[in-house]
């Protein structure tokens, strides 16, 4: 129940209006800690409810006890890596602030600079991307000395996109008394640790177990394939025969995404493709069409799909196996959201098998094996497994599924399949509370393939 949190009553009213009943694990962990005024460093993924986890305490702080007169000046700022995420976050802020006097504004590239400068004087909360905000700071339009709460969302991705310096400079323009809430999907590397040490003051670390964020209603299956052309036939069959509202197909490379998209369009599917080479206009168009239901199928790479929040995505197809367990969780976390049913199908060639079974071990799952009789291939998994009848997870593997890093595997075998092959939640949903100095160790990813994103 949200009433367990000491949130302002107008926010509780908005939460009830939005029909949020149970707070998600990240909300249970982060809302009380943020309400205490601490700086926070939270590892949580898109789809976990993390936006409400920082927006609600932020708004509560701005509303105070309700005794003081409303004053319009910039009192909170949320930084995000992309325009689309900033737009999504603005909508969330407006939904939660609907019964308050607080006004929020958006500052991203591609919009009229003068209009933005005028808007900056009329809002309490600013949501934006670092590049354009720095331009306003340079032009003297951005006064941050009254900022009480600074949020850095998807901080790891802002770093990946080269925004570290801008973010740190914007944080430095705040008055020093402010609270900073830093969220990232991964534990990040040295760059993120450096940012944390520069912008956070004695932070509380909260790490949400990514596996616990998987949705119980999502079935997970694998279908073996002989080669990419075979995978294309399988995708075609699945799109034609599965029941779904909207589907997303993940590839590891731009080239493969474009190729598959071309094949689908040639087969008269209404589809869109999203990858790193598509500009913001294409992204927005693709996402709008998908949201409206004019398009049912999205072909995407991980980078392009990150942060995507589209209702009704109930079929996820991994054309290529993601390179790490966390990326897998990210991908299939898009389906079965907010209690809905979902289906995640991974297409597995011989070179995907080891990665797939290491991800099974990471998730302590065994994916349902499925065959499409119209397109049954020759490859059915490693021969020695079939001969011995062993579960996939019992074979020695060399890939660390969480990170995608090569490592000597010594984890226990995957458990036998549950009846429905749904994702089992770990026993406790409680987030792992990491000590004050407790950032997870640096993790390295497998080097990407050419054209990979
Ligand atoms: P986020 O991870 O913040 O992108 O949230 C993912 C989706 O879950 C958004 O559409 C939210 O509006 C929704 N959501 C967040 N928290 C809750 C909750 N406690 N109950 C129901 N839906 C929620």
């Amino acid at each position: 129940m949200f009433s367990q949190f000491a949130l302002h009553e107008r926010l509780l009213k908005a939460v009830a209006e939005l029909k949020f009943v149970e707070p998600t694990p990240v909300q249970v962990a982060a809302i009380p800690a943020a309400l205490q005024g601490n700086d926070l460093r939270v590892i949580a993924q898109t789809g976990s409810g993390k936006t409400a986890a920082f927006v609600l305490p932020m708004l509560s702080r701005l509303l105070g006890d309700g005794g003081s007169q409303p004053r319009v000046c910039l009192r909170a700022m949320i930084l995000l890596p992309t325009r689309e995420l900033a737009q999504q976050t603005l909508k969330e802020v407006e939904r939660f602030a609907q019964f308050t006097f607080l006004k929020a504004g958006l500052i991203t590239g591609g919009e009229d600079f003068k209009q933005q400068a005028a808007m900056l004087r009329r809002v309490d909360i600013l949501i934006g991307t670092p590049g354009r905000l720095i331009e306003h700071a340079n032009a003297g339009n951005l006064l941050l000395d009254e900022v009480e709460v600074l949020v850095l969302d998807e901080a790891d991705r802002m770093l990946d996109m080269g925004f570290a310096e801008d973010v740190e400079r914007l944080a430095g323009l705040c008055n020093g008394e402010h609270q900073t809430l830093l969220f990232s999907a991964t534990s990040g590397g040295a760059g993120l640790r450096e940012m944390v040490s520069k912008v956070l003051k004695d932070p509380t670390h909260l790490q949400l177990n990514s596996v616990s964020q998987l949705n119980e209603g999502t079935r997970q299956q694998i279908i073996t394939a002989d080669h990419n052309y075979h995978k294309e036939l399988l995708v075609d069959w699945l799109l034609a025969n599965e029941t779904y509202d909207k589907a997303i197909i993940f590839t590891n490379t731009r080239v493969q995404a474009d190729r598959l998209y071309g094949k689908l369009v040639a087969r008269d599917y209404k589809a869109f493709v999203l990858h790193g080479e598509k500009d913001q206009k294409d992204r927005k168009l693709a996402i709008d069409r998908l949201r409206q239901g004019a398009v049912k199928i999205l072909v995407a790479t991980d980078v392009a799909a990150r942060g995507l929040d589209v209702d009704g995505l109930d079929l996820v197809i991994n054309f290529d196996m993601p390179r790490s367990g966390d990326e897998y969780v990210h991908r299939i976390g898009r389906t079965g959201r907010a209690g809905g049913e979902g289906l995640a199908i991974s297409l597995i060639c011989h070179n995907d098998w080891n990665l797939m079974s290491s991800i099974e071990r990471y998730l302590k799952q065994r994916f349902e094996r499925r065959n499409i009789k119209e397109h049954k291939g020759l490859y059915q998994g490693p021969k020695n497994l079939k001969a011995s009848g062993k579960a996939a997870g019992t074979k020695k593997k060399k890939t660390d599924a969480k990170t995608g890093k090569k490592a000597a595997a010594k984890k226990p075998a995957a458990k036998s399949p549950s009846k429905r092959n749904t994702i089992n939640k770990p026993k406790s949903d409680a987030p792992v509370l990491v000590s004050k100095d407790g950032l997870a160790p640096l993790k390295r990813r497998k080097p990407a393939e050419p054209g990979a994103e």
Side-chain angles (χ1 to χ4, degrees):
M1 299 290 281
F2 277 85
S3 52
Q4 70 186 278
F5 304 126
L7 288 167
H8 195 281
E9 61 187 29
R10 292 182 191 202
L11 302 177
L12 291 175
K13 191 174 163 193
V15 166
E17 174 87 9
L18 294 170
K19 306 209 166 22
F20 284 17
V21 181
E22 284 301 322
T24 65
V26 67
Q27 291 161 359
V28 171
I31 293 175
L35 284 172
Q36 282 182 359
N38 303 336
D39 278 6
L40 295 189
R41 187 264 187 271
V42 184
I43 303 177
Q45 311 205 343
T46 309
S48 60
K50 69 183 167 67
T51 315
F54 58 74
V55 171
L56 286 170
M58 177 193 85
L59 294 175
S60 209
R61 177 168 174 159
L62 300 189
L63 289 168
D65 55 14
S68 53
Q69 280 293 316
R71 58 195 176 106
V72 180
C73 65
L74 207 49
R75 297 172 61 202
M77 180 163 73
I78 305 174
L79 303 183
L80 298 118
T82 67
R83 187 197 324 209
E84 174 218 314
L85 276 172
Q87 281 162 342
Q88 276 179 25
T89 306
L90 174 68
K91 280 195 194 137
E92 288 282 283
V93 169
E94 286 174 342
R95 290 190 325 152
F96 290 124
Q98 60 182 302
F99 300 116
T100 75
F101 54 82
L102 296 167
K103 297 256 168 310
L106 187 71
I107 298 278
T108 62
E111 308 288 334
D112 186 87
F113 195 78
K114 275 196 189 145
Q115 278 179 12
Q116 287 184 339
M119 181 269 280
L120 278 171
R121 292 191 288 273
R122 296 195 300 267
V123 295
D124 309 276
I125 303 155
L126 200 58
I127 298 153
T129 47
R132 178 52 75 93
L133 284 166
I134 284 287
E135 287 175 41
H136 281 288
N138 290 341
N141 300 332
L142 192 63
L143 296 176
L144 299 177
D145 43 352
E146 301 272 352
V147 165
E148 295 169 43
V149 185
L150 171 68
V151 179
L152 310 178
D153 191 17
E154 305 247 354
D156 46 351
R157 192 158 170 222
M158 289 201 278
L159 270 163
D160 289 349
M161 292 172 73
F163 286 137
E165 215 176 288
D166 291 350
V167 169
E168 285 163 15
R169 204 179 134 208
L170 288 165
L173 292 175
C174 300
N175 60 29
E177 299 293 305
H178 63 282
Q179 177 185 34
T180 307
L181 311 175
L182 184 148
F183 283 69
S184 65
T186 60
S187 48
L192 192 59
R193 282 204 293 276
E194 195 182 322
M195 181 184 282
V196 165
S197 70
K198 281 185 182 161
V199 301
L200 296 180
K201 298 173 293 287
D202 195 19
T204 302
H205 294 267
L206 302 173
Q207 180 161 11
L208 277 290
N209 180 351
S210 57
V211 179
S212 74
Q213 292 169 39
L214 288 172
N215 303 293
E216 282 185 322
T218 302
R219 301 181 73 194
Q220 299 173 86
Q221 302 177 334
I222 64 156
I223 303 174
T224 47
D226 295 341
H227 37 62
N228 277 1
Y229 175 65
H230 186 194
K231 287 187 177 183
E232 286 168 8
L233 294 176
L234 289 168
V235 169
D236 184 24
W237 190 94
L238 290 167
L239 292 177
N241 291 282
E242 279 298 334
T243 311
Y244 59 95
D245 186 16
K246 288 165 197 164
I248 183 162
I249 308 165
F250 283 99
T251 66
N252 286 355
T253 65
R254 279 168 244 166
V255 175
Q256 186 58 60
D258 279 333
R259 187 186 146 89
L260 186 60
Y261 167 71
K263 296 253 167 186
L264 294 179
V265 172
R267 301 270 299 157
D268 278 344
Y269 286 105
K270 288 205 164 57
F272 253 112
V273 62
L274 271 190
H275 55 58
E277 271 172 14
K278 297 282 168 190
D279 63 19
Q280 276 299 334
K281 218 168 95 242
D282 289 332
R283 281 177 70 83
K284 191 168 177 314
L285 189 68
I287 289 159
D288 286 350
R289 290 279 169 82
L290 202 65
R291 285 217 175 105
Q292 293 152 6
V295 159
K296 284 181 69 164
I297 301 163
L298 184 67
V299 182
T301 57
D302 295 293
V303 170
R306 202 148 170 195
L308 203 71
D309 178 21
V310 176
D311 282 344
L313 265 178
D314 41 9
L315 176 62
V316 173
I317 301 177
N318 290 320
F319 186 93
D320 300 309
M321 205 58 190
R323 296 184 194 94
S324 73
D326 282 344
E327 206 62 81
Y328 179 88
V329 170
H330 234 98
R331 286 184 182 184
I332 74 161
R334 272 152 227 297
T335 166
R337 275 186 175 197
E341 294 275 310
L343 176 62
I345 304 172
S346 302
L347 305 180
I348 306 295
C349 274
H350 72 280
N351 53 350
D352 297 309
W353 186 275
N354 281 0
L355 192 51
M356 183 280 293
S357 55
S358 66
I359 290 174
E360 281 188 319
R361 286 198 307 279
Y362 172 51
L363 298 179
K364 300 191 170 59
Q365 294 279 312
R366 189 169 184 271
F367 304 145
E368 182 183 339
R369 271 57 175 164
R370 180 174 170 189
N371 264 310
I372 306 294
K373 69 174 184 311
E374 289 83 345
H375 296 296
K376 191 166 177 192
L378 296 172
Y379 181 66
Q380 295 289 311
K383 285 202 179 68
N384 52 349
L385 279 187
K386 278 190 294 170
S388 66
K390 276 184 189 172
T394 59
K395 191 168 181 269
K396 275 188 196 166
K397 295 294 175 281
K398 293 194 180 67
T399 310
D400 179 330
K402 179 172 164 53
T403 59
K405 195 172 136 185
K406 290 277 180 196
K410 46 183 180 301
K411 280 191 155 189
K415 283 186 182 149
S416 60
S418 64
K419 268 192 192 137
R420 290 186 64 239
N421 289 290
T422 54
I423 298 167
N424 297 320
K425 276 198 171 183
K427 288 215 172 59
S428 166
D429 250 352
V432 183
L433 204 60
V434 186
S435 64
K436 288 263 176 191
D437 61 341
L439 273 186
L442 174 66
K443 302 210 169 57
R444 269 206 267 125
R445 284 172 176 275
K446 227 172 125 177
E449 292 154 30
E453 299 212 327

